Amino acid sequence: MLLKFAINDFLDDREFKNVTPNTLSNYKNILGQFHDFCVENEVVNVEDVTLNVVKKFILFYQKKGNNATSTNSKLQRIRAFFNFMIETEVIQKNPASKISKAKEDIRIEVFSDYHIKQMLNYYRRIKQREKVFWAYRDHTIIVILLGTGIRLSELTSLKWADIDFVNQTLSVFGKNRKLESIPLAEKVIKELSAYKIYCEQQFGTDKVKSFVFTDRDNQGLTANAIKCMFKRLSKIMNFKDVRLSAHTFRHTFCQKCIHAGMSTFAIQRLMRHSSIVVTEKYAAMWGNDLKEQNEKFNPLNTLNL
């Protein structure tokens, strides 16, 4: 079977299974790269793809700068594709099944208080100038990301109807298309309330009914638009020690909760991790418990030195 047609069948199957638009786009990009690589190496049929071909593809993009996370993402998507080929009885074995995942760095970047203050102060300064709308919107985006830990996809799909100002909760569709409700802190509610009033003054009360974060024409922002926003801000801030992205705010939210002494179970609920194992990984990295236990029970405590 031609690789091109096989990939199209697979993508149709993913769409039929209602994967998220981001996931579908990711499949298209990676499998498109894989198809082009195979054709360049004169491999056009699914049955002719070998373990060596997949390895060469992975190595090719590693040399182009793919880190361990990107490498593992490619490997995961390719494995899923060939598993589908096995299910549809096109092939019998998955050529990518024996390729080991790349070891990923365990360092997770977070913002310091200095980083956060610099970003917020920048938007506060330009709020008094001609770019008031963009400055206020982007300032609010940072506050919401930092105060809730929601994902980029959840931020872009956020609508005013999802916010319960009375009960101070936010409804979001998580990674698994599961509707979940999370509590909002008092400061977050105040920020959103003030921003809503500002939007009503800008666009009219009757028009502020859909997306919370929009462009100047009141059209909802895309994930790419927010990525571009952070790219521009990154050049202005010029932080050398941290990547400026929506996910870094999510990590920062998690770290701040751990440092404040919040329970692992509560953090899991707020972050909406599918498994508490993920939360425990962060707790082990940023938790203060080990330091406190060492201070309390260290053998030197009983010695006069």
Side-chain angles (χ1 to χ4, degrees), residues 193-224:
S193 297
Y195 182 66
K196 186 178 184 183
I197 292 171
Y198 173 78
C199 290
E200 288 173 344
Q201 292 173 347
Q202 287 291 308
F203 304 114
T205 304
D206 59 321
K207 293 184 179 179
V208 181
K209 294 179 180 179
S210 189
F211 293 103
V212 175
F213 297 110
T214 68
D215 58 20
R216 202 66 184 82
D217 297 320
N218 202 26
Q219 300 298 310
L221 292 181
T222 62
N224 189 58

PDB file of all heavy atoms in Angstrom, residues 193-224:
ATOM      1  N   SER A 193     -13.106  40.092  36.276  1.00  0.00           N
ATOM      2  CA  SER A 193     -14.262  40.998  36.381  1.00  0.00           C
ATOM      3  C   SER A 193     -13.930  42.359  35.789  1.00  0.00           C
ATOM      4  O   SER A 193     -14.716  42.932  35.011  1.00  0.00           O
ATOM      5  CB  SER A 193     -14.689  41.155  37.845  1.00  0.00           C
ATOM      6  OG  SER A 193     -15.117  39.932  38.393  1.00  0.00           O
ATOM      7  N   ALA A 194     -12.763  42.881  36.150  1.00  0.00           N
ATOM      8  CA  ALA A 194     -12.344  44.190  35.637  1.00  0.00           C
ATOM      9  C   ALA A 194     -12.108  44.125  34.129  1.00  0.00           C
ATOM     10  O   ALA A 194     -12.477  45.044  33.392  1.00  0.00           O
ATOM     11  CB  ALA A 194     -11.071  44.636  36.350  1.00  0.00           C
ATOM     12  N   TYR A 195     -11.522  43.034  33.665  1.00  0.00           N
ATOM     13  CA  TYR A 195     -11.247  42.894  32.232  1.00  0.00           C
ATOM     14  C   TYR A 195     -12.545  42.767  31.441  1.00  0.00           C
ATOM     15  O   TYR A 195     -12.651  43.299  30.323  1.00  0.00           O
ATOM     16  CB  TYR A 195     -10.352  41.676  31.986  1.00  0.00           C
ATOM     17  CG  TYR A 195      -9.972  41.490  30.541  1.00  0.00           C
ATOM     18  CD1 TYR A 195      -9.153  42.420  29.896  1.00  0.00           C
ATOM     19  CD2 TYR A 195     -10.432  40.407  29.797  1.00  0.00           C
ATOM     20  CE1 TYR A 195      -8.808  42.268  28.558  1.00  0.00           C
ATOM     21  CE2 TYR A 195     -10.089  40.245  28.462  1.00  0.00           C
ATOM     22  CZ  TYR A 195      -9.285  41.187  27.850  1.00  0.00           C
ATOM     23  OH  TYR A 195      -8.947  41.037  26.527  1.00  0.00           O
ATOM     24  N   LYS A 196     -13.536  42.108  32.004  1.00  0.00           N
ATOM     25  CA  LYS A 196     -14.819  41.975  31.319  1.00  0.00           C
ATOM     26  C   LYS A 196     -15.494  43.335  31.155  1.00  0.00           C
ATOM     27  O   LYS A 196     -16.050  43.646  30.091  1.00  0.00           O
ATOM     28  CB  LYS A 196     -15.748  41.028  32.083  1.00  0.00           C
ATOM     29  CG  LYS A 196     -17.048  40.739  31.332  1.00  0.00           C
ATOM     30  CD  LYS A 196     -17.937  39.758  32.071  1.00  0.00           C
ATOM     31  CE  LYS A 196     -19.179  39.434  31.239  1.00  0.00           C
ATOM     32  NZ  LYS A 196     -20.099  38.533  31.961  1.00  0.00           N
ATOM     33  N   ILE A 197     -15.433  44.151  32.190  1.00  0.00           N
ATOM     34  CA  ILE A 197     -16.006  45.497  32.115  1.00  0.00           C
ATOM     35  C   ILE A 197     -15.306  46.311  31.032  1.00  0.00           C
ATOM     36  O   ILE A 197     -15.940  47.023  30.240  1.00  0.00           O
ATOM     37  CB  ILE A 197     -15.887  46.218  33.486  1.00  0.00           C
ATOM     38  CG1 ILE A 197     -16.789  45.531  34.515  1.00  0.00           C
ATOM     39  CG2 ILE A 197     -16.250  47.696  33.359  1.00  0.00           C
ATOM     40  CD1 ILE A 197     -16.591  46.025  35.929  1.00  0.00           C
ATOM     41  N   TYR A 198     -13.982  46.170  30.968  1.00  0.00           N
ATOM     42  CA  TYR A 198     -13.208  46.883  29.944  1.00  0.00           C
ATOM     43  C   TYR A 198     -13.624  46.429  28.547  1.00  0.00           C
ATOM     44  O   TYR A 198     -13.815  47.253  27.646  1.00  0.00           O
ATOM     45  CB  TYR A 198     -11.712  46.625  30.162  1.00  0.00           C
ATOM     46  CG  TYR A 198     -10.840  47.181  29.068  1.00  0.00           C
ATOM     47  CD1 TYR A 198     -10.534  48.536  29.019  1.00  0.00           C
ATOM     48  CD2 TYR A 198     -10.333  46.353  28.069  1.00  0.00           C
ATOM     49  CE1 TYR A 198      -9.744  49.055  28.012  1.00  0.00           C
ATOM     50  CE2 TYR A 198      -9.547  46.858  27.046  1.00  0.00           C
ATOM     51  CZ  TYR A 198      -9.249  48.221  27.018  1.00  0.00           C
ATOM     52  OH  TYR A 198      -8.472  48.734  26.015  1.00  0.00           O
ATOM     53  N   CYS A 199     -13.787  45.116  28.351  1.00  0.00           N
ATOM     54  CA  CYS A 199     -14.188  44.579  27.044  1.00  0.00           C
ATOM     55  C   CYS A 199     -15.589  45.043  26.652  1.00  0.00           C
ATOM     56  O   CYS A 199     -15.862  45.326  25.482  1.00  0.00           O
ATOM     57  CB  CYS A 199     -14.131  43.045  27.057  1.00  0.00           C
ATOM     58  SG  CYS A 199     -12.456  42.381  27.126  1.00  0.00           S
ATOM     59  N   GLU A 200     -16.477  45.120  27.627  1.00  0.00           N
ATOM     60  CA  GLU A 200     -17.839  45.600  27.361  1.00  0.00           C
ATOM     61  C   GLU A 200     -17.817  47.052  26.905  1.00  0.00           C
ATOM     62  O   GLU A 200     -18.599  47.458  26.039  1.00  0.00           O
ATOM     63  CB  GLU A 200     -18.701  45.439  28.616  1.00  0.00           C
ATOM     64  CG  GLU A 200     -19.056  43.986  28.907  1.00  0.00           C
ATOM     65  CD  GLU A 200     -19.761  43.818  30.248  1.00  0.00           C
ATOM     66  OE1 GLU A 200     -19.705  44.758  31.070  1.00  0.00           O
ATOM     67  OE2 GLU A 200     -20.339  42.749  30.482  1.00  0.00           O
ATOM     68  N   GLN A 201     -16.901  47.833  27.465  1.00  0.00           N
ATOM     69  CA  GLN A 201     -16.765  49.229  27.059  1.00  0.00           C
ATOM     70  C   GLN A 201     -16.164  49.338  25.658  1.00  0.00           C
ATOM     71  O   GLN A 201     -16.492  50.245  24.893  1.00  0.00           O
ATOM     72  CB  GLN A 201     -15.897  49.990  28.062  1.00  0.00           C
ATOM     73  CG  GLN A 201     -16.541  50.152  29.427  1.00  0.00           C
ATOM     74  CD  GLN A 201     -15.598  50.767  30.447  1.00  0.00           C
ATOM     75  OE1 GLN A 201     -14.385  50.865  30.217  1.00  0.00           O
ATOM     76  NE2 GLN A 201     -16.134  51.169  31.592  1.00  0.00           N
ATOM     77  N   GLN A 202     -15.294  48.393  25.322  1.00  0.00           N
ATOM     78  CA  GLN A 202     -14.624  48.407  24.018  1.00  0.00           C
ATOM     79  C   GLN A 202     -15.534  47.923  22.896  1.00  0.00           C
ATOM     80  O   GLN A 202     -15.602  48.521  21.828  1.00  0.00           O
ATOM     81  CB  GLN A 202     -13.367  47.523  24.064  1.00  0.00           C
ATOM     82  CG  GLN A 202     -12.212  48.114  24.844  1.00  0.00           C
ATOM     83  CD  GLN A 202     -11.600  49.328  24.162  1.00  0.00           C
ATOM     84  OE1 GLN A 202     -11.237  49.273  22.986  1.00  0.00           O
ATOM     85  NE2 GLN A 202     -11.507  50.426  24.891  1.00  0.00           N
ATOM     86  N   PHE A 203     -16.220  46.807  23.132  1.00  0.00           N
ATOM     87  CA  PHE A 203     -16.985  46.149  22.077  1.00  0.00           C
ATOM     88  C   PHE A 203     -18.503  46.293  22.205  1.00  0.00           C
ATOM     89  O   PHE A 203     -19.239  46.038  21.265  1.00  0.00           O
ATOM     90  CB  PHE A 203     -16.644  44.650  22.035  1.00  0.00           C
ATOM     91  CG  PHE A 203     -15.188  44.360  21.857  1.00  0.00           C
ATOM     92  CD1 PHE A 203     -14.464  43.742  22.855  1.00  0.00           C
ATOM     93  CD2 PHE A 203     -14.533  44.719  20.694  1.00  0.00           C
ATOM     94  CE1 PHE A 203     -13.109  43.463  22.697  1.00  0.00           C
ATOM     95  CE2 PHE A 203     -13.181  44.452  20.517  1.00  0.00           C
ATOM     96  CZ  PHE A 203     -12.464  43.831  21.527  1.00  0.00           C
ATOM     97  N   GLY A 204     -18.981  46.671  23.382  1.00  0.00           N
ATOM     98  CA  GLY A 204     -20.416  46.721  23.635  1.00  0.00           C
ATOM     99  C   GLY A 204     -20.846  45.509  24.444  1.00  0.00           C
ATOM    100  O   GLY A 204     -20.380  44.386  24.189  1.00  0.00           O
ATOM    101  N   THR A 205     -21.710  45.706  25.411  1.00  0.00           N
ATOM    102  CA  THR A 205     -22.138  44.637  26.320  1.00  0.00           C
ATOM    103  C   THR A 205     -22.721  43.444  25.574  1.00  0.00           C
ATOM    104  O   THR A 205     -22.477  42.289  25.929  1.00  0.00           O
ATOM    105  CB  THR A 205     -23.182  45.172  27.316  1.00  0.00           C
ATOM    106  OG1 THR A 205     -22.629  46.300  28.001  1.00  0.00           O
ATOM    107  CG2 THR A 205     -23.539  44.113  28.343  1.00  0.00           C
ATOM    108  N   ASP A 206     -23.496  43.708  24.525  1.00  0.00           N
ATOM    109  CA  ASP A 206     -24.155  42.627  23.788  1.00  0.00           C
ATOM    110  C   ASP A 206     -23.178  41.756  23.002  1.00  0.00           C
ATOM    111  O   ASP A 206     -23.497  40.619  22.642  1.00  0.00           O
ATOM    112  CB  ASP A 206     -25.200  43.202  22.826  1.00  0.00           C
ATOM    113  CG  ASP A 206     -24.587  44.170  21.826  1.00  0.00           C
ATOM    114  OD1 ASP A 206     -23.690  44.939  22.227  1.00  0.00           O
ATOM    115  OD2 ASP A 206     -24.998  44.147  20.657  1.00  0.00           O
ATOM    116  N   LYS A 207     -21.957  42.271  22.733  1.00  0.00           N
ATOM    117  CA  LYS A 207     -20.991  41.525  21.926  1.00  0.00           C
ATOM    118  C   LYS A 207     -19.989  40.728  22.768  1.00  0.00           C
ATOM    119  O   LYS A 207     -19.258  39.895  22.237  1.00  0.00           O
ATOM    120  CB  LYS A 207     -20.243  42.470  20.992  1.00  0.00           C
ATOM    121  CG  LYS A 207     -21.139  43.072  19.912  1.00  0.00           C
ATOM    122  CD  LYS A 207     -20.338  43.922  18.950  1.00  0.00           C
ATOM    123  CE  LYS A 207     -21.246  44.494  17.861  1.00  0.00           C
ATOM    124  NZ  LYS A 207     -20.486  45.347  16.906  1.00  0.00           N
ATOM    125  N   VAL A 208     -19.931  41.010  24.068  1.00  0.00           N
ATOM    126  CA  VAL A 208     -18.999  40.285  24.937  1.00  0.00           C
ATOM    127  C   VAL A 208     -19.717  39.063  25.486  1.00  0.00           C
ATOM    128  O   VAL A 208     -20.145  39.014  26.637  1.00  0.00           O
ATOM    129  CB  VAL A 208     -18.474  41.191  26.079  1.00  0.00           C
ATOM    130  CG1 VAL A 208     -17.488  40.423  26.963  1.00  0.00           C
ATOM    131  CG2 VAL A 208     -17.802  42.419  25.500  1.00  0.00           C
ATOM    132  N   LYS A 209     -19.889  38.068  24.640  1.00  0.00           N
ATOM    133  CA  LYS A 209     -20.608  36.861  25.034  1.00  0.00           C
ATOM    134  C   LYS A 209     -19.847  35.580  24.687  1.00  0.00           C
ATOM    135  O   LYS A 209     -20.237  34.499  25.087  1.00  0.00           O
ATOM    136  CB  LYS A 209     -21.987  36.821  24.345  1.00  0.00           C
ATOM    137  CG  LYS A 209     -22.927  37.921  24.806  1.00  0.00           C
ATOM    138  CD  LYS A 209     -24.258  37.830  24.079  1.00  0.00           C
ATOM    139  CE  LYS A 209     -25.210  38.923  24.546  1.00  0.00           C
ATOM    140  NZ  LYS A 209     -26.522  38.877  23.823  1.00  0.00           N
ATOM    141  N   SER A 210     -18.780  35.736  23.933  1.00  0.00           N
ATOM    142  CA  SER A 210     -18.086  34.533  23.478  1.00  0.00           C
ATOM    143  C   SER A 210     -16.717  34.402  24.128  1.00  0.00           C
ATOM    144  O   SER A 210     -16.609  34.246  25.330  1.00  0.00           O
ATOM    145  CB  SER A 210     -17.962  34.562  21.951  1.00  0.00           C
ATOM    146  OG  SER A 210     -17.491  33.319  21.471  1.00  0.00           O
ATOM    147  N   PHE A 211     -15.653  34.462  23.346  1.00  0.00           N
ATOM    148  CA  PHE A 211     -14.311  34.200  23.858  1.00  0.00           C
ATOM    149  C   PHE A 211     -13.817  35.320  24.776  1.00  0.00           C
ATOM    150  O   PHE A 211     -14.059  36.494  24.525  1.00  0.00           O
ATOM    151  CB  PHE A 211     -13.329  34.012  22.701  1.00  0.00           C
ATOM    152  CG  PHE A 211     -13.591  32.765  21.901  1.00  0.00           C
ATOM    153  CD1 PHE A 211     -14.221  32.843  20.663  1.00  0.00           C
ATOM    154  CD2 PHE A 211     -13.225  31.520  22.384  1.00  0.00           C
ATOM    155  CE1 PHE A 211     -14.469  31.696  19.927  1.00  0.00           C
ATOM    156  CE2 PHE A 211     -13.473  30.367  21.653  1.00  0.00           C
ATOM    157  CZ  PHE A 211     -14.102  30.452  20.427  1.00  0.00           C
ATOM    158  N   VAL A 212     -13.098  34.912  25.806  1.00  0.00           N
ATOM    159  CA  VAL A 212     -12.561  35.878  26.765  1.00  0.00           C
ATOM    160  C   VAL A 212     -11.433  36.680  26.128  1.00  0.00           C
ATOM    161  O   VAL A 212     -11.393  37.906  26.238  1.00  0.00           O
ATOM    162  CB  VAL A 212     -12.060  35.161  28.038  1.00  0.00           C
ATOM    163  CG1 VAL A 212     -11.375  36.161  28.988  1.00  0.00           C
ATOM    164  CG2 VAL A 212     -13.216  34.464  28.751  1.00  0.00           C
ATOM    165  N   PHE A 213     -10.530  35.996  25.448  1.00  0.00           N
ATOM    166  CA  PHE A 213      -9.373  36.684  24.872  1.00  0.00           C
ATOM    167  C   PHE A 213      -9.504  36.739  23.346  1.00  0.00           C
ATOM    168  O   PHE A 213      -9.568  35.710  22.673  1.00  0.00           O
ATOM    169  CB  PHE A 213      -8.074  35.987  25.288  1.00  0.00           C
ATOM    170  CG  PHE A 213      -7.876  36.034  26.781  1.00  0.00           C
ATOM    171  CD1 PHE A 213      -7.981  34.886  27.548  1.00  0.00           C
ATOM    172  CD2 PHE A 213      -7.616  37.238  27.420  1.00  0.00           C
ATOM    173  CE1 PHE A 213      -7.811  34.936  28.926  1.00  0.00           C
ATOM    174  CE2 PHE A 213      -7.446  37.300  28.805  1.00  0.00           C
ATOM    175  CZ  PHE A 213      -7.552  36.142  29.556  1.00  0.00           C
ATOM    176  N   THR A 214      -9.569  37.947  22.844  1.00  0.00           N
ATOM    177  CA  THR A 214      -9.845  38.176  21.420  1.00  0.00           C
ATOM    178  C   THR A 214      -8.843  39.154  20.823  1.00  0.00           C
ATOM    179  O   THR A 214      -8.029  39.764  21.535  1.00  0.00           O
ATOM    180  CB  THR A 214     -11.256  38.758  21.235  1.00  0.00           C
ATOM    181  OG1 THR A 214     -11.280  40.094  21.796  1.00  0.00           O
ATOM    182  CG2 THR A 214     -12.309  37.902  21.932  1.00  0.00           C
ATOM    183  N   ASP A 215      -8.942  39.324  19.499  1.00  0.00           N
ATOM    184  CA  ASP A 215      -8.161  40.371  18.842  1.00  0.00           C
ATOM    185  C   ASP A 215      -8.966  41.664  18.852  1.00  0.00           C
ATOM    186  O   ASP A 215     -10.044  41.735  19.460  1.00  0.00           O
ATOM    187  CB  ASP A 215      -7.770  39.957  17.420  1.00  0.00           C
ATOM    188  CG  ASP A 215      -8.984  39.644  16.547  1.00  0.00           C
ATOM    189  OD1 ASP A 215     -10.106  40.086  16.881  1.00  0.00           O
ATOM    190  OD2 ASP A 215      -8.821  38.950  15.527  1.00  0.00           O
ATOM    191  N   ARG A 216      -8.482  42.665  18.141  1.00  0.00           N
ATOM    192  CA  ARG A 216      -9.131  43.988  18.162  1.00  0.00           C
ATOM    193  C   ARG A 216     -10.506  43.949  17.497  1.00  0.00           C
ATOM    194  O   ARG A 216     -11.336  44.826  17.738  1.00  0.00           O
ATOM    195  CB  ARG A 216      -8.241  45.004  17.432  1.00  0.00           C
ATOM    196  CG  ARG A 216      -8.510  46.442  17.823  1.00  0.00           C
ATOM    197  CD  ARG A 216      -8.141  46.683  19.275  1.00  0.00           C
ATOM    198  NE  ARG A 216      -8.463  48.022  19.726  1.00  0.00           N
ATOM    199  CZ  ARG A 216      -9.671  48.436  20.132  1.00  0.00           C
ATOM    200  NH1 ARG A 216     -10.685  47.608  20.113  1.00  0.00           N
ATOM    201  NH2 ARG A 216      -9.852  49.653  20.561  1.00  0.00           N
ATOM    202  N   ASP A 217     -10.761  42.891  16.685  1.00  0.00           N
ATOM    203  CA  ASP A 217     -12.065  42.747  16.032  1.00  0.00           C
ATOM    204  C   ASP A 217     -12.998  41.829  16.807  1.00  0.00           C
ATOM    205  O   ASP A 217     -14.023  41.389  16.273  1.00  0.00           O
ATOM    206  CB  ASP A 217     -11.870  42.212  14.608  1.00  0.00           C
ATOM    207  CG  ASP A 217     -11.071  43.174  13.741  1.00  0.00           C
ATOM    208  OD1 ASP A 217     -11.298  44.395  13.853  1.00  0.00           O
ATOM    209  OD2 ASP A 217     -10.204  42.697  12.972  1.00  0.00           O
ATOM    210  N   ASN A 218     -12.609  41.510  18.036  1.00  0.00           N
ATOM    211  CA  ASN A 218     -13.420  40.664  18.925  1.00  0.00           C
ATOM    212  C   ASN A 218     -13.525  39.212  18.432  1.00  0.00           C
ATOM    213  O   ASN A 218     -14.494  38.515  18.718  1.00  0.00           O
ATOM    214  CB  ASN A 218     -14.825  41.255  19.109  1.00  0.00           C
ATOM    215  CG  ASN A 218     -15.500  40.749  20.387  1.00  0.00           C
ATOM    216  OD1 ASN A 218     -14.815  40.376  21.354  1.00  0.00           O
ATOM    217  ND2 ASN A 218     -16.814  40.723  20.416  1.00  0.00           N
ATOM    218  N   GLN A 219     -12.496  38.770  17.693  1.00  0.00           N
ATOM    219  CA  GLN A 219     -12.417  37.382  17.257  1.00  0.00           C
ATOM    220  C   GLN A 219     -11.472  36.619  18.185  1.00  0.00           C
ATOM    221  O   GLN A 219     -10.411  37.127  18.544  1.00  0.00           O
ATOM    222  CB  GLN A 219     -11.907  37.289  15.815  1.00  0.00           C
ATOM    223  CG  GLN A 219     -12.793  38.005  14.805  1.00  0.00           C
ATOM    224  CD  GLN A 219     -14.195  37.404  14.745  1.00  0.00           C
ATOM    225  OE1 GLN A 219     -14.364  36.191  14.620  1.00  0.00           O
ATOM    226  NE2 GLN A 219     -15.208  38.257  14.829  1.00  0.00           N
ATOM    227  N   GLY A 220     -11.862  35.402  18.568  1.00  0.00           N
ATOM    228  CA  GLY A 220     -11.063  34.629  19.509  1.00  0.00           C
ATOM    229  C   GLY A 220      -9.629  34.422  19.052  1.00  0.00           C
ATOM    230  O   GLY A 220      -9.364  34.192  17.869  1.00  0.00           O
ATOM    231  N   LEU A 221      -8.695  34.505  19.995  1.00  0.00           N
ATOM    232  CA  LEU A 221      -7.285  34.294  19.678  1.00  0.00           C
ATOM    233  C   LEU A 221      -6.997  32.817  19.434  1.00  0.00           C
ATOM    234  O   LEU A 221      -7.545  31.950  20.117  1.00  0.00           O
ATOM    235  CB  LEU A 221      -6.397  34.789  20.827  1.00  0.00           C
ATOM    236  CG  LEU A 221      -6.337  36.292  21.098  1.00  0.00           C
ATOM    237  CD1 LEU A 221      -5.389  36.561  22.259  1.00  0.00           C
ATOM    238  CD2 LEU A 221      -5.888  37.049  19.862  1.00  0.00           C
ATOM    239  N   THR A 222      -6.125  32.545  18.485  1.00  0.00           N
ATOM    240  CA  THR A 222      -5.686  31.174  18.250  1.00  0.00           C
ATOM    241  C   THR A 222      -4.462  30.889  19.118  1.00  0.00           C
ATOM    242  O   THR A 222      -3.834  31.812  19.667  1.00  0.00           O
ATOM    243  CB  THR A 222      -5.295  30.974  16.774  1.00  0.00           C
ATOM    244  OG1 THR A 222      -4.184  31.845  16.471  1.00  0.00           O
ATOM    245  CG2 THR A 222      -6.463  31.302  15.856  1.00  0.00           C
ATOM    246  N   ALA A 223      -4.122  29.612  19.227  1.00  0.00           N
ATOM    247  CA  ALA A 223      -2.930  29.226  19.992  1.00  0.00           C
ATOM    248  C   ALA A 223      -1.689  29.855  19.368  1.00  0.00           C
ATOM    249  O   ALA A 223      -0.779  30.312  20.073  1.00  0.00           O
ATOM    250  CB  ALA A 223      -2.803  27.707  20.029  1.00  0.00           C
ATOM    251  N   ASN A 224      -1.660  29.910  18.043  1.00  0.00           N
ATOM    252  CA  ASN A 224      -0.506  30.492  17.356  1.00  0.00           C
ATOM    253  C   ASN A 224      -0.375  31.984  17.634  1.00  0.00           C
ATOM    254  O   ASN A 224       0.739  32.505  17.761  1.00  0.00           O
ATOM    255  CB  ASN A 224      -0.621  30.253  15.847  1.00  0.00           C
ATOM    256  CG  ASN A 224       0.648  30.637  15.107  1.00  0.00           C
ATOM    257  OD1 ASN A 224       1.723  30.126  15.385  1.00  0.00           O
ATOM    258  ND2 ASN A 224       0.527  31.564  14.165  1.00  0.00           N
TER     259      ASN A 224
END
